[in-house]
Structure formats: C-alpha cells, structure tokens
Amino acid sequence: QVHGIVRRSSSFNTGRIEHLYKNPQAHIEGNMKLHYGDLTDSTCLVKIINEVKPTEIYNLGAQSHVKISFDLAEYTADVDGVGTLRLLDAIKTCGLINSVKFYQASTSELFGKVQEIPQKETTPFYPRSPYGAAKLYAYWIVVNFREAYNLFAVNGILFNHESPRRGANFVTRKISRSVAKIHLGQLDCFSLGNLDAKRDWGHAKDYVEAMWLMLQTDEPDDFVIATGEVHSVREFVEKSFKHIGKTIVWEGKNENEVGRCKETGKIHVTVNHKYYRPTEVDFLQGDCTKARQKLNWKPRVTFDELVREMVDADVELMRNNPNA
C-alpha cells in the first residue's frame, strides 16, 4: 500500500499518477491513498506519519527546477532543505525511528562545479545553484539523523533521470514535446539555453528500482546512481529529430546559433540567453561502481532508447491533445 502527500491546488495536479487510481475518471483510490499536505507544514507531516505509520518513506518532494531555484531561492531552501528536516523530525516525534526506513532524493547537482571526473560518493560537493545548496543541507541532515539517532536513512545521489512523465519545463521533455509538435505540424521552432551542457542521463524506472534497493539493504548507506555515459543537450536534440526523420545542422555561434533541418532548410532550434543559469554546471558524469557492487544494480535502458521513448510518447500525446 502506498500513501502520498499532495499539495492542494485549484486544478488537479495528479496528471502523472492518474493511472494509479482504482478509477482514474472518478479519482477513486485503491492501493494508493493521497493526503493533503506540504513539506513547509511540519504539523501536517506529523499528523500524516502518525496516522499512516509507514515502514518506508521516500522523500521525492522538492522544488526541483535548477534554473527556477534562482528566482525562488528562499522557497527552494524551505522545501528542499528544511522540508527534509521536518520529515525527519516528524519520524522522531512519532516514535518511529526504529521502524522506518527513510530515502532522501539527493542529486548530482551537489557536485556542481565538479572536483573530479567521474563523480562518486567520495567526490567533494560544490553546488552551483540555490537548488544544489538546499539539497546539500538535506544530504547532511540525513547523515546527521542516521548517526545521531541510528535511523535507517540513505541518500540516493541520483544523476539526471528522465521519462515521458518528466515535467514539461525540463530540457529533455521540452525537446521531446517540441520535436513531436514539429513532426505533427503543430510547431515550427523552439528555443533552448546552453546546448553544450553535458549530462549523465538515465531512465527514471531504472533509478526508482535503485531507490527501493537502497532500503532493502542491511545497513544504511549513500549511493551514486548513474549510467556513466555523458551526452550533451545538443546531442539530445539531434537524436530526437533523427527519430522523426530529420537531420539537424548547426549554424552560427553562441546566442546566434540555430539548428536547421537539412532536408527542408527550416530553422527548428534557436538559442535564448534567458534559459541560461547565472552559474552553469557544464559537466556531470557519475560512477555507480558502489551501487553495482553492493546493490547489484545497473541501468537497463540506453540513452537512445530513452530518447525514442520520450519522443514517441509525446507524438502520441500531441496527436490526441495538441494543447497538452
């Protein structure tokens, strides 16, 4: 049985979990039960945890958009940093220290301005955004509760993980949605930021399995989860277009660079400086040797398969609902 916390909204904000309802049309719950709450409200967290008495808690809640964290720095710190402390304190207040296993969604953004390549569990942290800095506090407060109270608490330092359910304003989903719309004749061109940012991209379903495996071990520990492969935003664009039969040729430099379709001559991609971050993270590459050895985990979905799945899913979505 799964219990989840959902923020109150004037419109339904459960689109990515509709399929988990017993009756999606009527929002009737089955083995998934949702509770109204918020990581900024410690009282509701205590009430929910005391009522549910969970055996495992996965803290995936966050303001998780790196660029937006520069605009919402205080809110990001409150939710991503102090929110984790509120959850840990709620476990302690409810007397569940000895019965709960706690997973904290840490992030490769902790490494930021990377101090070694590839990054592993012992690599020094150097966050480059309010999001990364807030997650750094959360990482260490989890370690502190583990050592101070003997709580089974782990940090999963997950590198970028994507799927068709990724939020529409994240770069990978923005690319797959835009390419799908161009394929269907619903869009001509879209804008991106730093095309040369390089990331270690994996599939969310592989990474969620790793989260679960961390809580099935005998002793709590922290793990890097990654594929070990690095690809640029530019490459994600090229492979997405290739999947719909278009070849992108790049012209110009910096903010004047455009991606033109070789077959039609149309410009489909432009660069807009508003999508750049004040401090950029240029390169992330994870070393998941520890997870391979201790969790017997390895990624199954390749980068090419991930890109194809996301584009195909968005083509289907946009065909049925062009305004999605």
Side-chain angles (χ1 to χ4, degrees), residues 147-172:
E147 295 176 353
Y149 305 111
N150 204 28
L151 172 67
F152 193 112
V154 306
N155 283 292
I157 308 172
L158 272 55
F159 281 64
N160 293 58
H161 41 290
E162 315 295 325
S163 86
R165 294 199 186 107
R166 181 58 126 163
N169 63 345
F170 287 83
V171 67
T172 50

Side-chain angles (χ1 to χ4, degrees), residues 1-5 29-35:
Q1 191 177 79
V2 175
H3 292 258
I5 295 177
E29 299 166 338
N31 287 334
M32 175 186 73
K33 302 186 185 300
L34 298 179
H35 306 260

